[in-house]
């Protein structure tokens, strides 16, 4: 098959270029190493585990024993009666709704303030010290998620945590020894806050770049037509960077469906009454602590299915509300 | 709002020479306030962490708002040696460094071939890599455990390295694909006419031309791999081989009881410092690449 390989000269040239080339040692070794090696690594360590997972999820494999029985969809049936797993699914769904929306609204607001919040006449201009704000806000993105979790776990700790101390200092004595992560009412919101804190800066930078990419004339025109800043932000910025928002929503949703690192750092046990337990945590425990490998891979399949469903949903909603139409026009 | 009238006035004579007007100053002030508030929310927990890293355990548990009585650098020594952070740090540097070099080479080679040669299966490989980007790693983690076990790579640093490479590959290929696609064909032809083979063409001509793309991906991969948590926790359970992120987690979880809290905070600072330094050096480059990667 190697002789078929021809350098791709783009659509206009392919007719000229599409002739067979002699199979020299140079060419053969090139294809073998340049394509064969990376693809082999990818297939062995990424593709094959994914494919195997589908099979394992249909067995009662416990991992280290040699016995493995095909049990069909028993694992899946069991999952739908597993209260703890269902609780984890609900928590993930809650995360996938709240975290991306709050993150995007916050990131968009901050990005808008940075790009068109500046004072000046005539033209809309960026804020002074925009670079400084951008650099600071991006900090959390480069801090390992596990460390973000650990820092905030310490901040939230009753007694020695800085949050309770600050609240007490400003006169809210009720919070003197409040366990933010230990109370089922606040554990989830507090965890969500930490995730959002970790995400906002990255998306803010992304949106700033997108807004800067809009032609200044568009803002100018709106301005002349009498649109204020708020109106410009809502009616011009948001529609014009719609694709970026969609991409951000999908990334954030996938991150929220995971949530493993943050939750593991904040509440390794799943939180009070499993209030912060997420699917990946339950999967991990089921596999590596309980040794129920077949059952846990079924959880993985559910997780993957929910992820796909989520992405599909975002695409559909965006298309139905007119996102696609614009995209086609732009290309 | 008083700004409305000012707004209108400006619009009316917007063609007149620009002059300083108070218009929008109120907006700017509010914007600054909001952004300063957010910046504080980002900075304060970090400042508190750094301060706490110099405290004794009694001070940490005592008054969270107090400044450290003295700068206890011994916390850093304890974290580095007693808590094993030094060892984890070394492991991380080895694993991330090797994986980064490998994934950049393999990724660039693969992206180059996929972008510039047409052959049966090209699209299939490219799209399965794209799919590899979106599938949750959690689905693969259990089988992956046994794949590594079968290769006798479980709980070894080489095993972790190859896994890092494999999982960072799709993103690398996806990102570099467009860079190689954009290179003009004439250059390839010129190299061929000058007698360069495929290998030579790639390493001496094409790869140097893709340098900006390579730099961006390398920074992304560095951060991603440095921060990786799930893969080491599942596949690298021998505490001698721990990388920083999992070492931190285990230190913190043992910590609940009789922990050296000063050392815990010091360990956090040690973990964050290198990435922050990398970030500050490459911050412009990184923010440009966020744009390039995100807009697609």
């Amino acid at each position: 098959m190697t002789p078929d390989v021809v350098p791709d000269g783009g659509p206009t040239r392919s007719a000229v270029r599409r002739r067979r080339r002699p199979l020299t040692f140079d060419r053969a070794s090139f294809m073998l190493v340049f394509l064969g090696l990376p693809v082999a690594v990818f297939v062995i360590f990424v593709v094959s585990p994914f494919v195997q997972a589908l099979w394992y999820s249909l067995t009662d494999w416990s991992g280290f024993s040699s016995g493995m029985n095909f049990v069909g969809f028993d694992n899946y049936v069991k999952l739908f009666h597993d209260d703890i797993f269902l609780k984890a699914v609900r928590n993930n769904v809650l995360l996938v709704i709240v975290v991306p929306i709050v993150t995007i609204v916050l990131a968009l607001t901050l990005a808008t303030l940075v790009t068109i919040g500046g004072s000046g006449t005539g033209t809309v201009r960026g804020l002074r010290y925009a670079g400084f704000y951008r650099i600071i806000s991006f900090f959390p993105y480069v801090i390992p998620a596990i460390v973000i979790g650990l820092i905030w776990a310490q901040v939230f700790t009753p007694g020695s945590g800085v949050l309770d101390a600050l609240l007490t200092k400003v006169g809210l004595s009720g919070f003197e020894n409040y366990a933010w992560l230990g109370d089922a009412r606040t554990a989830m919101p507090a965890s969500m806050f930490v995730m959002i804190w970790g995400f906002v800066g990255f998306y803010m930078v992304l949106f700033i770049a997108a807004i800067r990419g809009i032609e200044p004339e568009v803002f100018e025109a709106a301005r002349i037509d009498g649109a204020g800043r708020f109106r410009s932000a809502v009616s011009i910025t948001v529609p014009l960077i719609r694709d970026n928002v969609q991409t951000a929503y999908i990334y954030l949703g996938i991150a929220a469906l995971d949530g493993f690192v943050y939750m593991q750092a904040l509440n390794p046990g799943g939180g009070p009454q499993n209030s912060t337990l997420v699917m990946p945590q339950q999967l991990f425990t089921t596999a590596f602590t309980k040794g129920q490998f077949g059952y846990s891979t079924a959880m993985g399949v559910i997780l993957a299915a929910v992820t796909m469903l989520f992405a599909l949903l975002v695409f559909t909603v965006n298309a139905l509300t007119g996102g696609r139409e614009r995209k086609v026009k732009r290309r | 709002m008083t700004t409305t009238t000012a707004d209108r006035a400006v619009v009316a004579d917007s063609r007149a020479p620009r002059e300083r007007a108070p218009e929008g100053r109120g907006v700017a002030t509010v914007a600054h306030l909001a952004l300063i508030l957010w910046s504080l929310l980002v900075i304060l927990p970090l400042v508190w962490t750094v301060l706490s890293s110099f405290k004794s355990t009694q001070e940490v548990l005592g008054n969270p708002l107090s400044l450290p009585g003295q700068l206890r650098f011994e916390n850093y020594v304890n974290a580095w040696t007693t808590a094993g952070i030094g060892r984890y740090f070394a492991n991380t540097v080895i694993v991330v460094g090797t994986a980064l070099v490998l994934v950049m080479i393999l990724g660039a080679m693969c992206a180059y071939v996929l972008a510039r040669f047409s052959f049966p299966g090209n699209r299939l490989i490219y799209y399965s890599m794209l799919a590899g980007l979106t599938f949750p790693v959690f689905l693969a983690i259990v089988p992956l455990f046994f794949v590594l076990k079968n290769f006798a790579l479980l709980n070894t640093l080489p095993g972790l390295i190859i896994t890092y490479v494999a999982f960072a590959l799709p993103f690398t290929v996806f990102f570099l694909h467009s860079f190689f696609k954009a290179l003009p064909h004439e250059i390839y032809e010129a190299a061929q006419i000058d007698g360069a083979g495929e290998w030579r063409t790639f390493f001496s001509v094409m790869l140097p031309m893709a340098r900006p793309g390579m730099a961006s991906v390398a920074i992304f991969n560095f951060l991603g791999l440095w921060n990786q948590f799930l893969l080491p926790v599942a596949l690298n359970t021998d505490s001698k081989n721990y990388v920083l992120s999992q070492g931190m987690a285990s230190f913190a979880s043992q910590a609940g009881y009789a922990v050296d809290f000063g050392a815990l905070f010091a360990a956090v600072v040690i973990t964050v410092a290198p990435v922050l330094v990398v970030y500050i050096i490459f911050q412009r480059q990184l923010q440009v690449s966020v744009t390039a990667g995100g807009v697609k």
Side-chain angles (χ1 to χ4, degrees):
Chain A
M1 66 172 249
T2 339
D4 285 339
V5 171
V6 284
D8 188 0
T12 49
R13 294 166 172 275
S14 54
V16 191
R17 212 123 310 279
R18 213 169 266 281
R19 62 191 156 84
R20 298 201 165 203
R21 296 198 161 225
L23 179 63
T24 58
F25 173 75
D26 177 61
R27 194 166 288 274
S29 63
F30 169 79
M31 287 311 282
L32 203 66
V33 173
F34 275 54
L35 189 65
L37 206 60
V39 168
V41 169
F42 180 68
V43 168
I44 294 171
F45 294 97
V46 181
V47 176
S48 95
F50 279 131
V51 176
Q52 286 178 49
L54 293 177
W55 162 247
Y56 287 157
S57 75
L58 303 174
T59 69
D60 64 356
W61 193 32
S62 66
F64 299 99
S65 63
S66 52
M68 186 198 304
N69 302 309
F70 181 78
V71 295
F73 290 96
D74 281 7
N75 285 330
Y76 294 94
V77 175
K78 199 168 136 199
L79 273 179
F80 283 103
H81 295 98
D82 183 336
D83 285 340
I84 296 180
F85 182 73
L86 291 179
K87 174 78 184 163
V89 174
R90 277 199 295 276
N91 287 338
N92 268 126
V93 169
L94 193 65
L95 281 174
V96 108
I97 294 171
V98 176
V99 171
I101 290 180
V102 177
T103 308
I104 286 178
V105 168
L106 225 110
L108 254 177
T109 311
L110 294 174
T112 308
L113 291 180
V114 165
T115 45
I116 63 173
S119 65
T121 51
T123 49
V124 171
R125 63 171 74 165
L127 206 57
R128 268 193 211 193
Y129 313 118
F132 169 78
Y133 295 129
R134 220 181 45 212
I135 292 174
I136 297 289
S137 310
F138 202 70
F139 263 15
Y141 176 72
V142 295
I143 301 176
I146 184 82
V147 175
I148 293 182
L150 292 178
I151 290 176
W152 280 98
Q154 295 299 328
V155 170
F156 285 137
T157 308
S160 65
V162 72
L163 181 59
D164 283 352
L166 279 175
L167 290 175
T168 313
K169 189 119 191 167
V170 299
L172 298 165
S173 52
F175 290 103
E176 198 170 336
N177 253 318
Y178 189 72
W180 292 91
L181 296 169
D183 189 317
R185 286 169 304 172
T186 51
M188 192 55 158
S191 307
M192 285 173 169
F193 170 82
V194 177
M195 293 176 82
I196 293 165
W197 185 87
F199 291 143
V200 167
F202 180 84
Y203 292 96
M204 181 179 155
V205 169
L206 198 71
F207 292 148
I208 288 176
I211 295 173
R212 293 245 163 93
I214 300 173
E215 303 284 326
E217 287 79 15
V218 179
F219 284 112
E220 199 100 355
R223 191 78 163 189
I224 291 168
D225 288 346
R229 278 157 214 273
F230 182 73
R231 187 64 202 271
S232 306
V234 173
S235 309
I236 298 179
T237 314
V238 175
L240 280 179
I241 64 166
R242 193 187 176 114
D243 287 347
N244 300 77
V245 175
Q246 178 189 289
T247 312
Y249 205 105
I250 289 180
Y251 283 152
L252 280 164
I254 291 174
L257 279 171
D258 183 332
F260 178 73
V261 190
Y262 289 97
M263 295 312 187
Q264 201 68 9
L266 292 166
N267 252 328
Q273 292 148 47
N274 290 323
S275 54
T276 63
L277 185 74
V278 288
M279 281 190 266
Q281 272 181 311
Q282 186 60 10
L283 188 161
F284 199 86
T285 320
T286 310
F288 297 107
T289 311
K290 296 188 190 155
Q292 301 171 351
F293 287 97
Y295 190 47
S296 70
T297 36
M299 292 181 182
V301 174
I302 300 279
L303 180 63
V306 174
T307 310
M308 297 297 131
L309 202 71
F310 165 77
L312 201 71
L313 203 69
V314 175
F315 275 117
T316 315
V317 168
N318 193 41
L320 286 180
T321 51
R324 196 160 189 89
E325 190 187 314
R326 241 204 59 256
K327 199 172 172 177
V328 172
K329 244 193 292 180
R330 201 208 235 164
R331 288 282 141 87
Chain B
M1 276 258 276
T2 44
T3 44
T4 20
T5 45
D7 252 339
R8 226 158 259 151
V10 170
V11 170
D13 61 0
S14 65
R15 306 212 168 243
R18 303 258 159 91
E19 49 189 66
R20 287 177 54 80
E23 187 274 326
R25 194 156 290 170
V27 180
T29 312
V30 172
H32 275 298
L33 278 178
L35 285 159
I36 287 171
L37 209 67
W38 179 254
S39 305
L40 283 178
L41 195 61
V42 170
I43 290 289
L44 285 182
L46 303 178
V47 171
W48 180 69
T49 305
V50 173
L51 285 179
S52 302
S53 74
F54 290 111
K55 290 181 175 180
S56 66
T57 298
Q58 282 73 23
E59 282 176 308
V60 169
L61 297 177
N63 183 2
L65 292 178
S66 69
L67 292 171
Q70 59 180 102
L71 294 182
R72 290 172 197 276
F73 287 101
E74 66 258 36
N75 285 340
Y76 283 82
V77 178
N78 289 342
W80 189 261
T81 52
T82 319
I85 296 297
R87 180 180 200 115
Y88 307 150
F89 197 97
N91 287 338
T92 311
V93 169
I94 294 169
V95 171
V96 172
T98 317
L100 191 60
V101 171
L102 285 176
V103 80
M104 291 312 296
I105 296 174
L106 288 179
M109 297 194 311
C110 188
Y112 173 68
V113 172
L114 289 178
R116 302 195 64 92
F117 292 78
S118 65
F119 55 90
N122 183 320
R123 296 267 99 184
L124 177 74
I125 296 172
Y126 184 65
Y127 284 122
S128 59
M129 292 220 166
L130 277 193
L133 266 179
T134 50
F135 266 60
V137 183
F138 272 95
L139 179 54
I141 199 74
V142 170
L144 193 58
F145 181 86
F146 291 96
V147 168
L148 285 179
K149 198 168 183 243
N150 291 338
F151 281 108
L153 286 171
L154 196 62
N155 296 332
T156 65
L157 293 186
L160 200 57
I161 291 170
I162 191 83
T163 319
Y164 276 16
V165 170
F167 278 87
L169 201 58
F171 170 75
T172 313
V173 170
F174 171 63
F175 200 107
L176 290 177
H177 190 265
S178 57
F179 273 88
F180 284 117
K181 196 119 205 164
L183 295 182
H185 191 78
E186 286 71 18
I187 292 174
Y188 174 84
E189 256 167 19
Q192 297 279 304
I193 291 168
D194 285 348
E198 300 288 359
W199 286 77
R200 187 74 199 274
T201 309
F202 175 75
F203 283 108
S204 310
V205 181
M206 296 302 196
L207 197 56
M209 290 185 72
R211 204 179 290 145
M214 295 285 284
S216 301
V217 185
I219 297 170
F220 269 118
N221 278 336
F222 169 77
L223 290 174
L225 296 180
W226 189 271
N227 299 353
Q228 182 56 256
F229 180 68
L230 170 66
L231 293 175
V233 165
L235 308 173
N236 184 39
T237 48
D238 182 345
S239 66
K240 283 203 306 291
N241 289 340
Y242 274 4
V243 293
L244 265 181
S245 54
Q246 68 184 138
M248 283 300 310
S250 87
F251 184 20
S253 65
Q254 291 160 11
Y257 314 97
V259 201
D260 185 345
F261 274 99
L264 179 65
F265 283 106
V268 166
V269 175
I270 295 173
T271 312
V272 172
V275 276
L276 270 192
V277 168
V278 169
Y279 168 58
I280 287 166
I281 296 172
F282 293 106
Q283 105 13 63
R284 200 161 287 274
Q285 171 87 47
L286 187 67
Q287 303 208 341
V288 170
S289 9
V290 168
T291 324
V295 171
K296 261 161 224 154

